[in-house]
Amino acid sequence: MGGKYRVTGAAYPRLSRRPRRRRIVFAVLGAVLGVALLGYGSLQLIQVFRGEGGGDARRAAAGGKCPDKGSGAASAAPASAPAVVLPQPADITVNVYNATQRAGLAKAVGDELKARGFTVGQVGNAPADFDKKVPGTGILLGSPKTDKAAYSVLGTQLAGDTLQSDAREGADIDLILGDAFTELSPKATAEQELALLAHPKPAAAPAC
């Protein structure tokens, strides 16, 4: 070059590349790491909801607590629920009324209840407020002060009954038979329901 500036020796300006390749590499690595973290988190959630996340994960999802393995409580059988004291059928006075068009229904049901140990009071046609106006199986009608356990015991003899109250003072209960009534529950079924009422099953322990 014949100009003013000449290149002499090895000293000449160098142009450095911009670090674009390094930025691309870091961006790719960050994207891969983010996808991996999202996949791991999704897998953990799926295991929790499927119950595959171990005892701690299942307890966290269900909100339950389990005893420590070393305490010995984990292997113990669940304690039975305390027995419930129920009134005896003989202590429950039942008035049987027929609200249907089937003649002799109240007497037949009253005789069967008496054979099952209940004390049967009045038997006859339903009062005008209920006569031919009960489409269901039947109504148990009594005082608001009547022991609810008495309704439960009588209710085991009749499926699908409803509960109502009136202004009476006594503890007797009216059984008003409706159009859907066919017969009392089988005696064996009623006895099983009474047994469940007297000895309810304990609540199940959380899975560990």
Side-chain angles (χ1 to χ4, degrees):
M1 297 177 61
K4 182 178 179 179
Y5 301 99
R6 291 186 299 175
V7 177
T8 60
Y12 58 90
R14 295 177 179 271
L15 298 177
S16 60
R17 294 182 179 179
R18 296 180 180 179
R20 294 180 60 187
R21 181 175 299 175
R22 183 179 301 174
R23 293 179 181 176
I24 293 174
V25 172
F26 286 156
V28 171
L29 290 177
V32 171
L33 181 61
V35 171
L37 290 175
L38 286 175
Y40 179 76
S42 300
L43 180 61
Q44 293 298 313
L45 286 175
I46 292 174
Q47 289 179 344
V48 167
F49 285 107
R50 287 183 178 178
E52 300 173 356
D56 294 338
R58 288 196 296 270
R59 290 194 298 272
K65 295 182 179 180
C66 292
D68 296 334
K69 293 182 178 180
S71 64
S75 59
S80 59
V84 178
V85 179
L86 298 174
Q88 295 298 315
D91 297 330
I92 303 174
T93 299
V94 186
N95 304 314
V96 185
Y97 295 113
N98 182 12
T100 74
Q101 297 180 354
R102 296 163 55 186
L105 182 61
K107 183 180 185 306
V109 172
D111 291 342
E112 180 62 25
L113 288 175
K114 186 180 297 185
R116 297 185 183 188
F118 289 87
T119 299
V120 176
Q122 299 183 20
V123 175
N125 294 324
D129 292 342
F130 296 98
D131 192 26
K132 313 299 188 296
K133 300 175 183 177
V134 181
T137 303
I139 296 175
L140 301 183
L141 181 65
S143 168
K145 299 179 181 180
T146 300
D147 186 5
K148 297 300 185 292
Y151 290 115
S152 299
V153 172
L154 180 56
T156 61
Q157 312 297 315
L158 181 70
D161 57 88
T162 59
L163 181 63
Q164 296 184 20
S165 60
D166 56 14
R168 75 183 64 192
E169 295 293 334
D172 58 322
I173 301 175
D174 294 349
L175 170 55
I176 305 175
L177 304 172
D179 293 333
F181 177 84
T182 55
E183 60 182 359
L184 294 175
S185 299
K187 186 177 180 180
T189 301
E191 290 176 349
Q192 290 178 356
E193 293 185 7
L194 278 173
L196 288 176
L197 285 176
H199 303 281
K201 294 182 179 180
C208 300

